[in-house]
Structure formats: structure tokens, C-alpha cells
Amino acid sequence: MASGSASLMWFRKGLRIHDNPALQYAAEGTKFLYPVFVIDPHYMEPEKNAFSLGSARAGLNRINFLLESLADLDSSLKKLGSRLLVLKGEPSEVLIRCLKEWEVEKLCFEYDTEPYYQALDFKVKNYASTAGIEVFSPVSHTLFNPTDIIQKNGGRPPLSYQSFVKLAGQPSSPLSHTLSSLPLVGDVGSCVISEVPTIKELGYVDIGQDESSPFRGGESEALKRLNEIINDKEWVATFEKPKGNPSAFLKPATTVLSPYLKFGCLSCRFFYQCLQDVYKNVKRHTSPPVSLLGQLLWRDFFYTVAFGTPNFDQMRGNRICKQIPWNDDDELLTAWRDARTGYPWIDAIMVQLRKWGWMHHLARHSVACFLTRGDLFVHWEKGRDVFERLLIDSDWAINNGNWLWLSCSSFFYQYNRIYSPISFGKKYDPNGDYIRHFLPILKDMPREYIYEPWTAPLSIQTKAKCIIGRDYPKPVVLHDSASKECRRKMAEAYALNKDLNGMVSEEDIRNLRRKLKEDPEQEAKNKRIR
DNA sequence: CTCCGGTTGTTCGG
DNA sequence: CCGAACAACCGGAG
């Protein structure tokens, strides 16, 4: 092949045509362009032992969302005279083989701050540099370059939203140029190329509409959704995140653009620009941190801290994370995970998570607080794993950041503020319509008992065709005593962290755990007799 | 060292 | 709808 004739666009996130600097650069001055996506079997292929349908790493809803996004990308590329080349295997091995086979001179892919991609990209860039291949890896998944912000702050990421905003300045603008055509795909040689697979082709059984996410993946869907939102200027101008209703499910109280941002079906820079256009044309509008635009800043905040904090996704060895003697109680964890806590508000949210792969931000708060510092005192890493698997918008930086936040391990420290698994939902949805929808076993429970069905007289339970303890579980803990106990443990743990100036060893944690267990009477009181 | 502010708690009183 | 008590946290600025 002639020199400079082939370039490879490696899609990972950034599954879009619009505002895609890597794609645009890949398409410039080349005869052939190879748009590639590598399916990592570990991420995509069925894993029997997982607690939900899906692969070792991802639940079926997110795999499906990704496949839909890839199919949409393929169709858009075809309209531009190209196509998506799908390959299977360990991504760096596959990619390096392609680079050799196609004599690629220019490799382009979006820069990624996640540890998984940092390690992967290191291998690929290493090969490219020895082979003399030009690499272009622009930052386009976030508004700002996390590296720049960390550098501006003296090498450490800012740990509060306000200090982040002060450092951030103006975000980068989306590309104004729209691609009208792409170079041809060259000969693929001996590389095995496939079409975007269906869920069945990957070895999954179809689970049916009722059990799966109502949100369809892809750039086209993202732009359609964005358009609908942007056209409702009043809604955009008055959006206030903390005032949203977590129990709204017929029409969610937020944009549900998060899964599209996660996979890069939607450019956050384009979204940012659209929001500013709306703000310019209205008399008044809400502002960060609570406005829609503020949500994009929060996203960048978490990306920046996550990138600049070693071991961000764990408690140990994480310098911004409080060391807390969390329980290692698998029974409580699985009750929470499988929607069997006996608190309808909590269980309904967990059902929505499993079926839809999405729930409102405040609903996430409610269940995360309940699992960790609020009631069960289970390690936030365990809850993080469940979210990471089941959410279609699961994003490494944001998911871990929010678990750190909600468990009062970092960013937020007012552990006395505990969401009530009873009153929090009730104030938005006194009739319990949300519960009735996601937990149909409780659909005939009268409204005065729907949030606390164990308090309903047996005659009422019988009439509602739901006996507590048989058809629906009794509460795994009593919120009043359990939350009080959690407060006590948090206070002790905080005191220890303060005394030791954050240098808490594993042994210190063990000792504290022993000390906190000295009150078995209290422990027993928290648990309901089952 | 002090002081201030912190996207999103709950309950009670007015 | 709004403020105060609850009990008192932290990061960041000065």
C-alpha cells in the first residue's frame, strides 16, 4: 500500500459521528479508513455464574444498549460510504494485528481516563511508536482535560465542586464541521470481520420487553432525545436536580441522557452548547450546581478526581477515602441486591434497576445510603459492583464517586443526614404508585401501609393478597435502631480517622470492628426475628 | 488557627 | 412553603 494511505479509527466510547475529533482527523488526507470496534469476549459473552443475566462484567441491559449503539453507528457510517468493522478478541492484540495487516499509518481514538483504557492504550501506543504509526488521541469525552485541571491545582485534583469550577474555566467547544462522506474501507486481508452481533448471536436468550430496559441505545436515539429536551425551553430553564421526583417513571424527572453520555453517543460538549443556546433565549434560568448545565460540570468533576486519585475505586490505599469498618454481611447484601429488604421503597428501586438499568438519581441515593451508612452498614464497594453491573449508564468515575459520596467516605461527610426508607419516597408518592408498579405483589396494599406493609393488620394483608413474611419479606432491619447504630459506628470511625490522621491500617480497622461489636444486644435488636 | 459553605435528611413547629 | 433543632461533619480560604 502507498505511504499515508490507511488510517484506523478505533471506537471504544465516543460511539458517534457528531463532534468526534478522532474520527474527523482519521478521515483527513487518507485513501482508506478502517473504522473498528473490538468486542472483548470478557465484556460481552454470557457468564453463567453472575447474579444476573449478562457477561462477567456487564448486565444484559447494558450489553444490549451497547449493541444498539454499535448498530446505529454502523448504519450512520454506511450513509457516509463506510461501515463499522467488528472484530473479536483481546482488544490490544486484535488492534495490533489490524495495524500490521492493513499497514496503518495513522491510528486515532478518543482519549480515555479510566484505568482499564489507560493500561490498554499504553500497550497500543507502545506498539504504534515502535512501528512508526502516528497516534492521535484527543480528549473529547469530557468538557475539560482532567490532566490540565490537576496540573493547575498543583498535581492533585480539586476535592470540592466549587474549587473544581474555579479551576475549570471555559469548556472546549464542539467541532462545527459536519462530515458529509468518509474514505473507503480498504481491503481487510486475513482479519476476521463480522457484522454487529445481535444479543442472540452472543448466546443470550431474549428476555422480552417487560423485563428489559425501555431505553434504546445509539447516537440517533441520543440526538432525538436531546432535541425533545431542548425544545422544552421552560423545562430546561427551570430544571433543579435536587427537586426532581425520584418516583416518576412514566415520564422520568431527569433527561435520561446519562447512558448516551456514558457511551459517547452524545457529545457532552454539544449538549453543553445546546443548553447555553436555550439559556440565552429565556428570561431566567437555574444555575450550577443544580441546573442541567451543572450536571455536566459534576460529571467532569468526578472524571477529574477519579483520574487523579490512585485506587479511586477502593477504600484501601485511597487517600481521599475514609477508612470505615464496614460489615461483610453477604445475607444483607443479597437481600438488598435482590429486592428483598422488606422496605417496599428500597425494593422497588432495586427492581427498577434490574429491569430498566436506570433509576432516578435520588432513588440511587436512597438505596446506596440504605446499604451503607444508613441501615445495613455493608461496604460501599459491594453496592458499587451491583450498580456497575446493572446500570446502563454505569460510568467508572461517576459510579465510584457517588458511592464514595453516599457512604460518607469522601466528598460528603454529614453522616447524620440519613434517607428514611419510609418517608423519603412517601413525600413524593404518598399513594405508592411507584411501588405498586415495580412490586406488583403489593399493588392492593392500602396506601396507609404501602411503605410499611409489616404494620398492616393481618386482615388487611389477607385482603390485599399479600402476607408479610410469606408473599413479601419482613424488614431485614428496623430502620430506627439500625440507623442509630450506623450513626454511632460512623462517629467512631470518623474519630479514628481523625486521630490517626487518615493513616488507618487494616489492623486499626479490625480493632475498631471488634470494639463496635461489643454491643451484641444492640445488634440483635436491629434484626427482626425471622 | 478560625470561619464559611456545602446539588439532593428528617421531624416538628408555625 | 419555611425555619429550627437534631449534632456537628469536612475542604478550602484566609
Side-chain angles (χ1 to χ4, degrees):
Chain A
M1 254 170 231
S3 175
S5 65
S7 71
L8 193 156
M9 170 62 199
W10 181 20
F11 286 100
R12 305 101 63 83
K13 296 174 191 164
L15 302 177
R16 63 172 183 268
I17 305 293
H18 77 280
D19 188 32
N20 192 332
L23 177 62
Q24 185 166 313
Y25 188 75
E28 278 167 16
T30 187
K31 191 168 177 197
F32 298 115
L33 169 66
Y34 295 88
V36 163
F37 185 88
V38 184
I39 288 185
D40 184 343
H42 196 56
Y43 190 94
M44 295 283 242
E45 289 180 0
E47 165 59 50
K48 292 272 184 297
N49 294 322
F51 73 81
S52 77
L53 283 178
S55 69
R57 298 252 332 265
L60 195 49
N61 275 326
R62 191 164 74 255
I63 293 171
N64 202 32
F65 193 95
L66 172 56
L67 292 180
E68 287 165 354
S69 302
L70 292 175
D72 184 62
L73 180 63
D74 182 41
S75 133
S76 301
L77 288 169
K78 280 173 178 158
K79 283 175 198 155
L80 297 171
S82 183
R83 64 166 290 203
L84 187 65
L85 305 171
V86 178
L87 296 100
K88 288 179 188 170
E90 198 287 311
S92 66
E93 281 171 25
V94 171
L95 205 79
I96 289 167
R97 206 178 116 79
C98 293
L99 293 173
K100 286 179 187 165
E101 179 82 19
W102 303 334
E103 294 175 20
V104 170
E105 307 244 329
K106 190 164 72 177
L107 168 65
C108 304
F109 56 92
E110 185 177 63
Y111 185 76
D112 201 303
T113 50
E114 268 182 46
Y116 171 82
Y117 287 104
Q118 289 278 309
L120 182 59
D121 296 356
F122 180 77
K123 283 191 241 172
V124 172
K125 280 180 189 166
N126 232 10
Y127 170 77
S129 83
T130 58
I133 298 169
E134 181 193 355
V135 173
F136 181 64
S137 186
V139 173
S140 51
H141 190 64
T142 46
L143 294 170
F144 307 95
N145 186 340
T147 308
D148 291 348
I149 293 182
I150 291 165
Q151 201 190 346
K152 267 194 224 168
N153 199 41
R156 290 202 173 195
L159 295 179
S160 75
Y161 172 85
Q162 293 301 346
S163 56
F164 168 80
V165 170
K166 272 183 205 164
L167 288 162
Q170 282 304 305
S172 56
S173 301
L175 300 175
S176 49
H177 178 76
T178 316
L179 290 163
S180 53
S181 73
L182 286 170
L184 293 172
V185 176
D187 182 6
V188 296
S190 66
C191 292
V192 181
I193 306 296
S194 61
E195 296 289 321
V196 176
T198 64
I199 218 81
K200 276 185 190 164
E201 282 163 1
L202 286 175
Y204 296 101
V205 280
D206 213 334
I207 50 169
Q209 252 186 3
D210 186 49
E211 296 296 312
S212 62
S213 180
F215 306 113
R216 304 275 62 84
E219 180 184 18
S220 307
E221 190 69 25
L223 294 175
K224 196 175 116 197
R225 204 169 179 94
L226 174 69
N227 228 14
E228 280 166 15
I229 288 157
I230 291 303
N231 283 335
D232 195 345
K233 292 191 172 56
E234 177 67 16
W235 190 84
V236 170
T238 56
F239 182 92
E240 272 183 82
K241 186 69 166 279
K243 292 200 176 152
N245 178 355
S247 72
F249 61 95
L250 294 171
K251 188 188 182 300
T254 51
T255 61
V256 200
L257 286 172
S258 54
Y260 304 94
L261 290 166
K262 180 246 151 69
F263 284 108
C265 301
L266 174 64
S267 155
C268 63
R269 310 189 299 187
F270 180 58
F271 186 15
Y272 188 97
Q273 191 182 58
C274 290
L275 289 174
Q276 288 212 305
D277 288 344
V278 172
Y279 293 152
K280 264 182 245 159
N281 292 309
V282 293
K283 271 189 223 130
R284 48 180 302 156
H285 60 83
T286 53
S287 297
V290 298
S291 66
L292 268 185
L293 196 129
Q295 305 316 300
L296 287 175
L297 297 175
W298 277 105
R299 178 174 177 272
D300 261 62
F301 167 70
F302 283 124
Y303 265 90
T304 305
V305 189
F307 182 53
T309 307
N311 303 313
F312 185 70
D313 59 354
Q314 54 188 63
M315 180 176 86
R316 294 239 57 100
N318 181 347
R319 68 176 177 228
I320 68 165
C321 182
K322 290 255 181 278
Q323 304 297 305
I324 294 168
W326 302 109
N327 290 340
D328 196 18
D329 192 322
D330 273 350
E331 220 176 291
L332 291 176
L333 172 69
T334 51
W336 175 83
R337 185 191 75 190
D338 299 339
R340 289 186 282 105
T341 68
Y343 286 92
W345 170 248
I346 299 297
D347 293 340
I349 294 167
M350 295 307 287
V351 171
Q352 189 186 21
L353 168 61
R354 204 175 270 252
K355 288 195 174 183
W356 286 30
W358 181 92
M359 67 282 209
H360 187 273
H361 185 65
L362 291 178
R364 300 180 194 203
H365 275 216
S366 226
V367 295
C369 178
F370 185 84
L371 179 72
T372 58
R373 65 182 171 85
D375 290 84
L376 306 185
F377 217 70
V378 170
H379 205 307
W380 61 267
E381 291 172 15
K382 305 271 185 159
R384 182 274 320 278
D385 288 343
V386 172
F387 272 29
E388 188 165 286
R389 179 175 184 80
L390 296 178
L391 285 170
I392 54 172
D393 61 17
S394 171
D395 182 300
W396 186 81
I398 298 168
N399 192 29
N400 280 292
N402 276 304
W403 276 97
L404 284 164
W405 185 295
L406 260 299
S407 64
C408 281
S409 296
S410 199
F411 309 117
F412 176 80
Y413 306 95
Q414 284 165 282
Y415 56 79
N416 280 310
R417 295 187 185 173
I418 292 173
Y419 290 88
S420 162
I422 297 153
S423 18
F424 185 69
K426 204 186 270 180
K427 81 180 168 201
Y428 298 100
D429 179 18
N431 194 47
D433 294 337
Y434 177 80
I435 293 169
R436 291 171 209 280
H437 183 264
F438 287 105
L439 290 176
I441 186 72
L442 287 165
K443 72 178 165 44
D444 296 322
M445 192 60 70
R447 66 181 260 152
E448 53 267 55
Y449 301 112
I450 186 85
Y451 284 87
E452 300 165 272
W454 64 93
T455 64
L458 197 56
S459 61
I460 303 272
Q461 295 183 25
T462 309
K463 210 177 151 203
K465 296 180 290 297
C466 180
I467 308 297
I468 303 308
R470 189 189 75 190
D471 305 316
Y472 181 73
K474 291 179 181 173
V476 286
V477 295
L478 290 175
H479 174 66
D480 280 349
S481 53
S483 61
K484 217 172 153 187
E485 188 62 7
C486 283
R487 281 190 172 99
R488 184 179 75 91
K489 288 177 177 172
M490 290 300 284
E492 293 269 7
Y494 267 45
L496 181 71
N497 277 266
K498 205 173 194 174
D499 283 353
L500 300 176
N501 199 19
M503 304 298 286
V504 183
S505 71
E506 303 230 18
E507 200 191 338
D508 296 325
I509 292 281
R510 273 199 300 275
N511 288 340
L512 181 57
R513 194 174 281 126
R514 206 171 302 136
K515 186 183 164 195
L516 290 170
K517 275 241 161 113
E518 270 166 23
D519 202 352
E521 228 172 279
Q522 190 63 47
E523 293 271 320
K525 235 163 104 185
N526 296 337
K527 295 213 175 189
R528 275 242 144 177
I529 303 134
R530 274 173 272 188

